[in-house]
Amino acid sequence: MNEWTMTYWQGPPEAAADGLRLFGWTGPGESPTDALDPRVGGFIPPSGEPIVTVDGVAFVALVTMGPIEPPPGLTATDPELSRSIIGSF
């Protein structure tokens, strides 16, 4: 049985996009990738959709198998704050 958890990050929009791409996410208009990280079960925003940005800060989330350290330029976000901004699965 798999134990999935939500991982929430925030940071500059460019860092958020680059960080999600490390795990197989693709932005709007980008070609899909076959390299989805096996630790990741999904993204907010889903691949192909824009990242939610509030006052210049991007908010993203991943469903993951265990904790994953934030990529460069991103920091962990309070789950309640993230859910209120971007929702959840």
Side-chain angles (χ1 to χ4, degrees):
M1 183 173 181
N2 295 334
E3 290 192 35
W4 296 97
T5 186
M6 291 294 294
T7 301
Y8 300 97
W9 297 326
Q10 71 181 48
E14 299 80 20
D18 290 345
L20 290 181
R21 284 185 190 104
L22 293 173
F23 301 99
W25 178 85
T26 54
E30 297 176 354
S31 297
T33 180
D34 294 330
L36 184 65
D37 188 304
R39 300 172 295 170
V40 176
F43 303 98
I44 298 177
S47 284
E49 295 191 17
I51 292 173
V52 173
T53 304
V54 177
D55 293 333
V57 178
F59 292 86
V60 298
L62 296 86
V63 176
T64 62
M65 293 289 286
I68 296 178
E69 289 297 315
L74 299 179
T75 58
T77 305
D78 174 69
E80 288 184 37
L81 173 63
S82 286
R83 282 191 296 268
S84 70
I85 294 172
I86 62 174
S88 186
F89 288 100

